[in-house]
Amino acid sequence: MNGMNQNKLYFYLVVGIVIGFTIAYVTLTPTTTYKYSDDYHHHPKNVRFHKSHQNKKNNSVDHDHENEYEDYHKESDMDSVLGPKEEVGAHNDNDTFHKMTNTDLADALYKEVKILCWVMTGPENHDKKAKHVKATWGKRCNILLFMSSQKDETLPAIALPVGEGRNNLWAKTKEAFKYVFENYFDEADWFMKADDDTYVILENLRYMLLGIDPQRPIYFGAKFKPYVKQGYMSGGAGYVLSKEALRKFVVEAIPNREICRADNEGAEDVEIGKCLAAVNVEAGDSRDPESRGRFFAFTPLHHLIPGHVDKSFWYWQYIYYNESQGMECCSDNAVSFHYMSPDMMYTMEYLLYHLRPFGIAYDPKLPPKLSEILKEDHSKENEVKVPAETQTQNEIISHISTHK
């Protein structure tokens, strides 16, 4: 009898220990790390998401109240994203607080740094995504084109002689730049490619390009380091080619099958990076004076929140320059973000172009190479003198207007 009681005691003790350890493990185990089977250039992705995304098949995201945010890290995440069903609209320029905003310098740069934007899209995304680009950041391009396989006058979308699907992105990129070169080469200084889920702050891009000669063979974007010795620019973050870089790509690189891939296969951003390097187009450094990035392959959330994704995530092995997490990640003059849903694009429009903390004024200064924005008069009697770097916005505008 005593033996039986002793055995029961041991049994209950073991069961208690097992239950105790199980409860402790479940309680104390940290957030699960999810691993994708998808890849970027065949590189595995390891992403840690907020707990509200766990137990969602394929990390699908919906609009219920469980999700504290939406976050996308691969193209397939964006396939089912829809824009607003109704028109979002815009504020009137004569609104009380809009009349307090001085856009003279941005307006002057719009005229001096001419940027053609072409947006990679497809027939299935004309209404879902492309029209929302047109309603938001796209309207600040000097020229805005949408490259598709189907014509759409409302955008406008150009029907390129290529098929749709991710296996045709490289072919579409080549045809798009050829179309731009043949039809718009003399109408812009810089030529930007973006996806229909990229958001671009054109004012900051013009400021970054100010003082850089568009006849210099160079291009800028979010710089990655594998595959191309000098680095190449992430396709999703968007990249911008100088006039000479565009000429070299279309005239010298594409026709040469020994240096530029002739078929449709391959990653678009890597392939153009190889082509441009082969014809001596420089992969430029787009960081700001504090060495903070300006072009970003993901949404602001991904870059701003420390620990949002762990260090095994492919991005940390791909970026060319070291990047901090948190506020130090990103320039005050950031240019682009990728995987931006239409809803987020309208949110950015409000935050960037409407919301203002009252009483805080911004008085920008132009860099030393101000002469690049001033088109010098060839007449000796109207010779332009370059103003000092420290002059105020109003003084700069006055100077530009005088010598137009």
Side-chain angles (χ1 to χ4, degrees), residues 4-19:
M4 290 180 63
N5 289 337
Q6 190 173 15
N7 289 338
K8 285 183 179 181
L9 181 62
Y10 286 142
F11 174 78
Y12 291 134
L13 180 61
V14 170
V15 170
I17 291 173
V18 170
I19 292 174

Side-chain angles (χ1 to χ4, degrees), residues 335-373:
V335 169
S336 71
F337 294 96
H338 187 213
Y339 295 129
M340 300 288 281
S341 68
D343 289 0
M344 182 55 72
M345 289 189 184
Y346 287 108
T347 302
M348 291 286 282
E349 284 289 298
Y350 171 71
L351 294 176
L352 289 173
Y353 297 98
H354 300 288
L355 181 63
R356 295 288 183 273
F358 188 81
I360 297 179
Y362 179 52
D363 186 21
K365 308 291 190 301
L366 287 178
K369 293 183 180 180
L370 179 59
S371 56
E372 296 295 337
I373 193 178

Side-chain angles (χ1 to χ4, degrees), residues 112-116 187-191 214 241-244:
E112 295 295 336
V113 185
K114 295 183 176 66
I115 300 174
L116 179 146
E187 297 185 37
D189 306 308
W190 297 86
F191 302 85
L241 278 65
S242 69
K243 184 185 285 284
E244 178 61 7

Side-chain angles (χ1 to χ4, degrees), residues 153-255:
E153 295 289 354
T154 63
L155 287 174
I158 294 21
L160 299 175
V162 295
E164 290 296 339
R166 295 188 177 95
N167 291 335
N168 288 298
L169 294 182
W170 171 227
K172 186 179 283 189
T173 299
K174 289 183 288 185
E175 291 299 325
F177 274 120
K178 285 164 62 177
Y179 181 92
V180 166
F181 177 77
E182 292 166 3
N183 293 277
Y184 292 95
F185 184 70
D186 293 328
E187 297 185 37
D189 306 308
W190 297 86
F191 302 85
M192 180 162 193
K193 175 265 173 185
D195 288 348
D196 54 17
D197 57 358
T198 309
Y199 187 93
V200 183
I201 300 98
L202 267 299
E203 294 87 349
N204 291 345
L205 179 57
R206 291 190 179 96
Y207 171 72
M208 188 196 83
L209 297 174
L210 178 64
I212 302 174
D213 187 352
Q215 298 303 326
R216 176 182 171 185
I218 192 169
Y219 81 126
F220 296 98
K223 197 169 180 180
F224 286 169
K225 64 186 176 185
Y227 308 113
V228 183
K229 185 177 181 179
Q230 70 165 353
Y232 69 97
M233 308 303 166
S234 162
Y239 45 81
V240 59
L241 278 65
S242 69
K243 184 185 285 284
E244 178 61 7
L246 173 63
R247 189 198 67 78
K248 278 180 165 286
F249 178 53
V250 174
V251 176
E252 299 178 20
I254 293 178

Side-chain angles (χ1 to χ4, degrees), residues 236-292:
Y239 45 81
V240 59
L241 278 65
S242 69
K243 184 185 285 284
E244 178 61 7
L246 173 63
R247 189 198 67 78
K248 278 180 165 286
F249 178 53
V250 174
V251 176
E252 299 178 20
I254 293 178
N256 190 339
R257 292 179 173 234
E258 294 184 3
I259 63 173
C260 212
R261 187 167 181 164
D263 63 16
N264 295 0
E265 300 296 320
E268 155 248 330
D269 48 7
V270 174
E271 295 306 327
I272 192 172
K274 292 177 180 177
C275 294
L276 292 174
V279 292
N280 298 314
V281 173
E282 179 184 351
D285 182 354
S286 63
R287 294 176 299 167
D288 73 6
E290 284 71 40
S291 297
R292 297 177 185 138

